Amino acid sequence: MAGLAESGSNPDVDLLYDINGLAKDAPGWLDRVMEYVGEYGLLLAIVLLVVWCWWTVRRRGDEDAASSVAALVWAPLAAGIAVLVNVPIRGFVERPRPFLDHQGLEVLVSGKTDYSFVSDHATIVMAMAVGLFVAHRKFGLVALVLAVFGGFIRVYMGVHYPTDVVGGFALGTAVALLLSPVAMALLTPVVRAVERSPRVGWLVRARGRGVGDGESAVIPGARRERAASERDLAA
């Protein structure tokens, strides 16, 4: 299957040249920016989104904080599992990088000698984005947009065919969604145990946050006593 896209007379290769052609027409500084963003920047941005979402969830202190944090833990785990699943896929398909079979491409990153299908970058960012979407819709939508943009950049850089990216998106999404019920069933009890710990419970819920109302819960029954005293004063 090494000749999966050796002909330039198919939509996959045509789209590759169209997108990569933008790199030829762009100024050098923009290509350098796109190279950095495509290799490191977008992945770092999605990781920061996961951290930001975790910080928001733990500070809010809702009743479902444990399940939300468990879903956030699943996001990077899903990315790691998806990459492992991709190892035999790449070995089976054995698709060379596009610049090895097609002339005239503007390759922004040299030294890529591994196989092209499926794109590891696309797999990782989409698995994390979908995992984040399961945990928090708003943060997840931002991550999904970043993941799609990241896939576009991989083609722009001349290191992947469009179908490499689409395959990565499909693989990352499948792993994150299909294994999510099992992952949540395993991770949620662990996170709830962490939440109950006096030492590391802050990782799940901020200190002094009540369940669902964000008020202090340092003294058990404090809200009930306060309400009773308010009734006595009113009487």
Side-chain angles (χ1 to χ4, degrees):
M1 299 183 69
L4 188 61
E6 293 180 355
S7 172
S9 60
N10 65 67
D12 194 22
V13 177
D14 292 341
L15 189 56
L16 165 67
Y17 275 104
D18 289 341
I19 296 177
N20 182 253
L22 300 174
K24 289 186 176 183
D25 299 332
W29 65 265
L30 180 58
D31 282 348
R32 288 191 294 272
V33 170
M34 295 289 272
E35 174 188 346
Y36 177 80
V37 171
E39 283 287 286
Y40 313 105
L42 284 175
L43 178 58
L44 176 60
I46 293 179
V47 170
L48 292 177
L49 273 177
V50 173
V51 174
W52 186 6
C53 185
W54 162 74
W55 186 261
T56 301
V57 167
R58 67 173 290 276
R59 288 195 65 188
R60 191 172 61 231
D62 292 341
E63 290 184 2
D64 60 346
S67 59
S68 296
V69 172
L72 291 173
V73 173
W74 169 238
L77 290 178
I81 293 174
V83 170
L84 292 178
V85 173
N86 189 30
V87 172
I89 295 177
R90 279 191 161 194
F92 176 72
V93 177
E94 294 185 343
R95 186 186 207 181
R97 294 279 181 169
F99 52 80
L100 296 177
D101 287 334
H102 304 284
Q103 302 297 319
L105 292 175
E106 184 75 12
V107 183
L108 302 187
V109 179
S110 59
K112 299 286 185 180
T113 58
D114 55 342
Y115 293 124
S116 185
F117 185 92
V118 175
S119 167
D120 276 340
H121 275 78
T123 300
I124 292 172
V125 295
M126 185 55 73
M128 292 192 66
V130 172
L132 182 54
F133 184 80
V134 171
H136 195 287
R137 296 295 184 266
K138 291 182 179 179
F139 281 97
L141 284 174
V142 175
L144 288 171
V145 172
L146 291 178
V148 172
F149 182 56
F152 170 84
I153 294 180
R154 300 305 291 177
V155 182
Y156 178 97
M157 293 164 61
V159 296
H160 281 294
Y161 294 95
T163 48
D164 297 339
V165 171
V166 173
F169 287 167
L171 177 59
T173 300
V175 170
L177 290 182
L178 294 180
L179 298 184
S180 178
V182 176
M184 292 300 294
L186 295 175
L187 291 172
T188 301
V190 175
V191 175
R192 290 194 188 281
V194 172
E195 183 182 19
R196 292 191 295 269
S197 170
R199 292 186 177 182
V200 294
W202 61 270
L203 290 170
V204 181
R205 192 191 304 274
R207 298 291 188 187
R209 291 291 182 180
V211 178
D213 56 13
E215 294 189 12
S216 176
V218 176
I219 304 176
R223 295 184 64 203
R224 292 194 297 273
E225 292 177 3
R226 186 179 63 186
S229 64
E230 288 176 352
R231 287 196 300 270
D232 292 341
L233 289 175

